[in-house]
Amino acid sequence: MDLETFTPGSGRLAPRAALQSDAPALSLNGTWRFRLSPTAGIPEDFADPGYDDSGWDELPVPSHWNLHGHGAPAYTNVAFPIPIDPPHVPDENPTGDYRRVFDLPEGWQGGRLRFEGAESFARVWLNGHELGFSTGSRLPVEYDAAPYLRPGRNVLAVRVHQWSAATYLEDQDMWWLPGIFRDVTLTRSTADVYVRADYRGGRGTLAYLEGPGPLSVPELGVTGLEPGSEITAEVEPWTAETPRLYQAVITGDGETVRLRIGFRTISIEDGVLLANGRPLLLKGVNRHEFHPEHGRAVPYETMREDVLLMKRHNVNAVRTSHYPPHPRFLDLCDELGLWVIDECDLETHGFGEVGWRGNPTDDPRYADALLDRMRRMVERDKNHPSVIMWSLGNEAGVGRNLAVMAGWTRERDPSRPLHYEGDRSCAHTDVYSRMYASHAEVEAIGKREEDPLDDPELDARRRGMPFLQCEYAHAMGNGPGGLAEYQELFERYPRLAGGFVWEWIDHGIAHPEFEYAYGGDFGEPVHDSNFVIDGLVFPDRTPSPGLIDLKKVFEPVRFDFDGGSVRIVNGYGFRDLSHLRFVATVQVAGETVTEHVLDVPPGGGEVALPVTDGGPEGERWLTVRAELAEDQPWAPAGHEVAWGQTQLAPAPGTAVPQDPATAATTAVAQGLATAATTAAPQDPAPGVAGGPQAFTRGEDGLIIAGECAFDASGRLVRLFGLEVEGPRLDLWRAPTDNDRYGGLEGRWRALGLYRLTHRVDEVSVGDELVVRTRVAPAATDLGMRATYRWTYDGGLRLELDIEPEGEWPDPIPRLGVDMTLPGEAVDRVTWFGPGPGESYPDTGMAARIGRWSATVEELQTPYVYPQENGHRANVRWATLTGARGGIRVSGEPAFGLTARRWSTAELTAARHRPDLVPGDRLHLHLDLAHQGIGTATCGPGPLPAYHLLARPATLRLRFTPA
């Protein structure tokens, strides 16, 4: 069966550049007739023009048939969903037959049928004549249609098989989604054009290497440039920051081609990656093509939305993981400005499960197929200025075929470096690339002190290469943590060229029951669960907290405050600051008291800050924002690009960090003992007065203090008229994806931290209420002594002393108290501290100090796979209000706040968003500290500074009526 052939195709025309041509073209997108069969061995009579397909279904093209009710999607990360037995495939091979009837316009002559993408093996017939077949799912193929076209009615028939020998080259950590999923066009364009536009020292060199006729660039006064010649002119360079394009026109062979040219040069000197002679720092993301309803059949409007979102969040680079994207995406990168690593349609990751035996990368029978994929990518995308590097593929092991691909590419296009991560020796690449290297290893590489290779020659060659992390900071669920520390290293060492966060979008498929489905939700026997939900944006492209943090970390402007001035540092690589407007705002206790526009030189520098004496009392914070002064193609005027913040005048006795990016618990990094001794400020809450009052026992057995009551065991049951439960010490949090995949959840569960027991040892009633308890899991002698000291002076004050017992082997999830309130009593939370989004010890860099307000529902982060979320760290005070009044909680000095309409146990048990059903209680978590987040789903866990170790600590809180 030819499905098992190593040949990449037959009957195909030579690959050529994707071009904008005025040649007549007929889109064949739209509604096709479709039939799905469970096996491949069915008759080919459907290709006959007279075949009766009236009993078939209809299917849109482009699309995936299993997103339209024909079969089901399946997700795997590494494992193949078929036996590893190349080139053979199972008899159970879903096969889709397509038919499209179209009328040829009057006078039409000749033409090519162009398919931009079909997975994984497509055979094509036109009017009953077989044109050929092709593999390479995410690459274009063209067939000569001229001999078989007829005036009037024509019938195009296509058979697509899900599994083929080519499947073994396409194990790319994504949904398996067969079908014709990119555009189909009948075109009379035959032109191929190849230009190389370099830039050095203010001048551009345009080499017109190949084309059908003379080339003109009117803006540069260039006319009639013939193929094989070149010109030099004064030009403005193309960069991702300044994407300057020049319109070229090529005429010949009965058509006119328009090509946008960007002058830029990519080079490597002394181990540093350069663009136009300047160091290039990639602030990138990995981008799969995905849409929650359409899979990889991504509409143009969605592609554009992706690029705009990236630009607005300070992303400057994209790696097209793990295949070439739709060609229009690269047009957008040229136009709006993104550096691109264009990656070949190759990954054989599943062979790693069998020790790389039979890996196609090292199988000479697959050499032609691999070279064919590389050639089709390079030829299609060779004219894009945004493409600065070719990647041989991803996670395909090592083997002789890499040399074949690299050798041809270097000969065809010596102007772009080659990338491939899977071979640590870098024998066939120009850059040293790694995935998920720890901070320590990245620093060693930056210093050129990495572990040596066995081969001294290869080792010396690799040490002379730039280094980039083609994947790092796995953005799965809550996280990623450690972004700021990675970026600091990238900026410190010139050898480090930056990296690409994994990845752009959660691949959640829209689902009527689960909202968004992931691996296993369609009953697939082999799957990788929610590992496909690992993006910086949710499936509907709503930015996650991780993307908001990344924008802050990638900021192109830095603010260094010093007394009455701020030093503004230009972090752009290729432009000054003249396109930005700088605004300084002073807030006291979250209220704006003054705002000024700063006069900042284009190159940045020291700028005096406005005098802000006087005004109300409270924490006084200065925020300087850099925003667009005028509309840009990717964002309107006023869009915030960067910001910095510093405290001017803290309230008396308040101890808070100067940098709000450390919004999560300072105690984690500094030791919990520090938090226990921090000076506490006076609570500024209004309406509370009077000296301390004693606690008394009532006739009903309750312990009373003012409007508050405790039961006989010392548990708070009434708080200023509200029925409450708690607070009591808790150590558990609903595990994050990083906790789960990194192994911490398993160790926490083995210790029993999710099922703590509580024992009251003593209740002492007098001027203060003292409740001594021991909190511990079963089956261990580890525990926590927790002593609650309550005082009442019109407000209710809690001082909770925590003393661990035993040698705790691992960090603990969290340290704080839980309590519940009537659900209808609270619908809004207002707080002063970092916000507006969530923050944890190693996340929340985008949180800034201010006064924030949100409904309880708005406080939740809707991760596709439910997990710990919504924590606001370092809160000074918060009010929880509703129809029945409310309460105010003040930290002494600060606390972590989470409010939910479901319990931690319910959040832990949930698997999809709809599993979380609001109850009749509000669950309030007031924390001293959390374990860091890290990126251990794929990569390192939290840095040691963000580990929450069991140490003596004190939590101080004060409750007053709101």
Side-chain angles (χ1 to χ4, degrees):
M1 173 181 297
D2 58 7
L3 288 179
E4 298 177 346
T5 180
F6 294 98
T7 303
S10 69
R12 305 173 305 170
L13 296 170
R16 63 190 181 109
L19 298 168
Q20 296 179 7
S21 169
D22 69 351
L26 181 65
S27 173
L28 298 180
N29 292 348
T31 301
W32 292 45
R33 306 296 288 181
F34 178 78
R35 174 185 67 184
L36 181 66
S37 303
T39 61
I42 53 177
E44 297 175 351
D45 55 348
F46 81 103
D48 187 282
Y51 183 88
D52 181 6
D53 60 15
S54 60
W56 287 19
D57 293 322
E58 292 185 340
L59 185 72
V61 171
S63 75
H64 303 281
W65 67 60
N66 44 14
L67 296 183
H68 290 267
H70 304 280
Y75 165 66
T76 62
N77 171 25
V78 176
F80 280 103
I82 61 174
I84 302 176
D85 184 23
H88 307 296
V89 296
D91 292 339
E92 300 87 359
N93 190 352
T95 296
D97 289 333
Y98 295 78
R99 282 172 56 89
R100 174 74 153 88
V101 176
F102 64 94
D103 289 326
L104 202 64
E106 187 175 351
W108 185 286
Q109 297 292 324
R112 299 176 172 209
L113 276 169
R114 182 178 179 92
F115 292 78
E116 296 291 348
E119 182 175 333
S120 72
F121 182 109
R123 175 174 277 111
V124 181
W125 293 263
L126 178 61
N127 294 324
H129 299 276
E130 183 174 342
L131 301 184
F133 76 89
S134 188
T135 60
S137 298
R138 284 151 283 277
L139 290 160
V141 58
E142 289 185 327
Y143 302 98
D144 184 5
Y148 310 110
L149 285 170
R150 303 171 179 173
R153 182 179 185 269
N154 288 261
V155 179
L156 177 61
V158 183
R159 173 164 285 178
V160 177
H161 303 280
Q162 179 162 14
W163 310 126
S164 68
T167 298
Y168 293 103
L169 308 180
E170 296 178 0
D171 184 25
Q172 291 150 318
D173 184 10
M174 59 187 182
W175 292 99
W176 295 91
L177 296 172
I180 304 173
F181 67 95
R182 286 186 185 162
D183 307 287
V184 182
T185 309
L186 176 65
T187 177
R188 284 166 53 182
S189 172
T190 62
D192 190 15
V193 174
Y194 187 11
V195 301
R196 188 174 298 147
D198 294 326
Y199 178 84
R200 286 182 175 84
R203 297 184 67 80
T205 299
L206 175 60
Y208 182 23
L209 303 175
E210 300 170 9
L215 177 149
S216 300
V217 186
E219 190 175 354
L220 297 178
V222 176
T223 58
L225 190 66
E226 294 293 336
S229 56
E230 67 177 44
I231 59 94
T232 300
E234 291 188 6
V235 299
E236 299 173 49
W238 187 97
T239 74
E241 296 169 7
T242 56
R244 180 68 161 92
L245 295 170
Y246 293 84
Q247 187 76 43
V249 179
I250 303 100
T251 56
D253 292 341
E255 64 180 303
T256 299
V257 171
R258 297 189 179 276
L259 181 68
R260 297 185 301 184
I261 294 175
F263 290 87
R264 57 106 188 97
T265 296
I266 305 301
S267 60
I268 295 170
E269 296 181 15
D270 299 325
V272 179
L273 181 66
L274 305 176
N276 303 333
R278 296 185 182 183
L280 175 56
L281 184 60
L282 301 171
K283 302 175 181 180
V285 296
N286 286 276
R287 177 188 176 269
H288 265 294
E289 292 191 308
F290 185 76
H291 187 283
E293 283 89 30
H294 308 303
R296 285 186 287 282
V298 180
Y300 174 77
E301 295 75 19
T302 304
M303 298 181 211
R304 186 175 183 86
E305 181 182 352
D306 276 345
V307 176
L308 293 177
L309 270 174
M310 291 173 190
K311 294 287 290 186
R312 291 167 184 169
H313 288 84
N314 295 327
V315 171
N316 73 3
V318 171
R319 173 175 171 239
T320 68
S321 52
H322 296 293
Y323 42 82
H326 192 287
R328 297 195 73 183
F329 179 78
L330 296 180
D331 291 339
L332 288 166
C333 294
D334 292 343
E335 172 191 336
L336 296 171
L338 287 171
W339 309 104
V340 175
I341 295 182
D342 202 359
E343 191 146 271
C344 189
D345 191 9
L346 170 64
E347 181 170 337
T348 66
H349 204 173
F351 285 87
E353 303 293 281
V354 295
W356 295 103
R357 293 187 300 276
N359 183 18
T361 308
D362 198 38
D363 185 339
R365 296 175 298 174
Y366 271 106
D368 288 345
L370 269 63
L371 178 57
D372 174 75
R373 289 167 182 246
M374 196 72 192
R375 183 183 175 206
R376 285 156 68 191
M377 174 182 70
V378 171
E379 296 295 352
R380 190 195 75 169
D381 299 340
K382 58 198 173 190
N383 295 311
H384 286 284
S386 59
V387 176
I388 61 168
M389 212 175 289
W390 303 117
S391 177
L392 302 180
N394 181 69
E395 292 175 325
V398 295
R400 68 195 81 181
N401 294 335
L402 294 175
V404 175
M405 298 166 71
W408 179 88
T409 306
R410 283 201 171 93
E411 182 175 352
R412 180 60 171 156
D413 179 23
S415 71
R416 292 177 174 96
L418 295 187
H419 168 274
Y420 180 68
E421 180 272 339
D423 182 359
R424 293 283 182 92
S425 76
C426 300
H428 309 296
T429 68
D430 301 303
V431 297
Y432 178 21
S433 178
R434 286 287 308 282
M435 292 182 182
Y436 307 108
S438 68
H439 298 83
E441 186 176 5
V442 169
E443 181 164 27
I445 294 170
K447 295 178 176 179
R448 303 180 194 268
E449 296 175 356
E450 67 265 32
D451 292 338
L453 295 169
D454 292 336
D455 185 321
E457 185 175 343
L458 282 175
D459 182 66
R461 180 174 176 273
R462 193 180 74 176
R463 288 179 194 274
M465 292 180 176
F467 174 80
L468 61 85
Q469 286 250 59
C470 66
E471 295 179 23
Y472 78 108
H474 198 250
M476 185 174 177
N478 188 333
L483 287 171
E485 290 82 1
Y486 273 122
Q487 192 64 25
E488 190 278 329
L489 292 171
F490 295 155
E491 294 178 4
R492 190 194 315 171
Y493 297 104
R495 184 190 184 190
L496 304 183
F500 299 81
V501 172
W502 184 268
E503 67 168 299
W504 176 243
I505 188 169
D506 287 342
H507 299 205
I509 292 179
H511 192 281
E513 178 183 354
F514 303 133
E515 188 172 353
Y516 293 113
Y518 48 76
D521 285 339
F522 296 98
E524 56 266 50
V526 178
H527 66 85
D528 284 294
S529 187
N530 68 317
F531 215 71
V532 76
I533 307 297
D534 53 5
L536 291 163
V537 297
F538 298 134
D540 64 357
R541 286 176 161 77
T542 299
S544 76
L547 181 59
I548 305 302
D549 276 353
L550 193 69
K551 177 184 178 181
K552 178 63 178 167
V553 170
F554 281 176
E555 283 180 345
V557 182
R558 191 173 74 244
F559 305 89
D560 296 330
F561 296 96
D562 183 15
S565 65
V566 57
R567 187 164 66 94
I568 296 176
V569 181
N570 180 12
Y572 287 104
F574 305 92
R575 71 183 312 176
D576 61 25
L577 303 179
S578 58
H579 65 296
L580 299 177
R581 176 176 181 262
F582 292 84
V583 181
T585 302
V586 175
Q587 290 188 327
V588 178
E591 299 293 336
T592 299
V593 296
T594 185
E595 187 166 280
H596 301 269
V597 175
L598 301 180
D599 185 11
V600 178
E606 201 86 10
V607 179
L609 294 171
V611 177
T612 58
D613 293 337
E617 293 184 359
E619 289 190 34
R620 186 179 296 261
W621 286 86
L622 169 71
T623 305
V624 179
R625 307 188 314 276
E627 59 187 35
L628 293 179
E630 298 177 348
D631 290 349
Q632 298 291 325
W634 49 271
H639 168 78
E640 184 178 273
V641 172
W643 61 272
Q645 194 175 51
T646 190
Q647 187 174 4
L648 297 178
T654 302
V656 293
Q658 282 289 312
D659 181 2
T662 61
T665 314
T666 313
V668 176
Q670 298 180 344
L672 290 173
T674 304
T677 59
T678 304
Q682 296 298 312
D683 180 15
V688 177
Q693 299 180 29
F695 290 76
T696 60
R697 292 188 182 272
E699 294 181 359
D700 54 4
L702 294 180
I703 303 170
I704 305 298
E707 299 178 78
C708 303
F710 299 76
D711 65 13
S713 65
R715 184 181 62 171
L716 183 65
V717 296
R718 188 168 65 244
L719 181 61
F720 305 111
L722 294 177
E723 176 195 350
V724 302
E725 297 172 357
R728 70 176 186 174
L729 180 67
D730 193 17
L731 308 179
W732 181 251
R733 72 181 182 196
T736 66
D737 285 325
N738 288 296
D739 295 337
R740 292 193 302 122
Y741 285 93
L744 269 179
E745 180 191 7
R747 300 200 293 275
W748 290 340
R749 285 189 178 276
L751 191 57
L753 296 184
Y754 66 99
R755 48 171 173 78
L756 297 177
T757 64
H758 297 254
R759 185 186 74 220
V760 177
D761 291 334
E762 179 186 353
V763 178
S764 175
V765 179
D767 290 342
E768 62 179 7
L769 172 63
V770 181
V771 183
R772 303 183 190 279
T773 71
R774 188 175 191 271
V775 181
T780 178
D781 61 354
L782 300 179
M784 294 279 188
R785 291 285 179 181
T787 302
Y788 301 79
R789 289 184 170 84
W790 295 96
T791 57
Y792 185 83
D793 60 358
L796 186 65
R797 190 182 301 273
L798 169 64
E799 184 173 294
L800 172 60
D801 293 320
I802 304 162
E803 183 75 32
E805 292 183 340
E807 296 295 325
W808 290 72
D810 293 301
I812 57 178
R814 58 180 283 256
L815 189 64
V817 296
D818 297 346
M819 59 189 297
T820 71
L821 290 74
E824 74 277 6
V826 177
D827 56 30
R828 178 163 291 277
V829 179
T830 301
W831 74 98
F832 179 68
E838 69 182 25
S839 52
Y840 291 84
D842 52 348
T843 72
M845 286 73 70
R848 64 187 87 182
I849 302 297
R851 180 181 299 204
W852 312 100
S853 186
T855 65
V856 173
E857 289 69 29
E858 290 168 343
L859 289 174
Q860 316 311 308
T861 302
Y863 294 112
V864 171
Y865 191 104
Q867 56 198 276
E868 166 62 39
N869 74 89
H871 178 72
R872 270 67 179 177
N874 212 24
V875 171
R876 279 63 152 167
W877 58 259
T879 60
L880 297 90
T881 55
R884 295 170 52 187
I887 62 168
R888 176 186 175 104
V889 187
S890 302
E892 300 184 346
F895 62 96
L897 170 71
T898 313
R900 305 186 180 112
R901 299 202 184 278
W902 37 78
S903 68
T904 298
E906 291 168 327
L907 183 57
T908 300
R911 294 295 177 265
H912 296 87
R913 291 179 184 176
D915 294 342
L916 296 171
V917 179
D920 59 1
R921 303 291 293 177
L922 180 82
H923 297 265
L924 181 62
H925 307 271
L926 307 171
D927 292 328
L928 183 63
H930 262 261
Q931 164 71 359
I933 298 297
T935 182
T937 50
C938 200
L943 289 165
Y946 305 119
H947 283 264
L948 176 55
L949 304 178
R951 297 174 180 168
T954 298
L955 174 64
R956 296 185 179 91
L957 301 169
R958 190 162 188 260
F959 301 88
T960 54

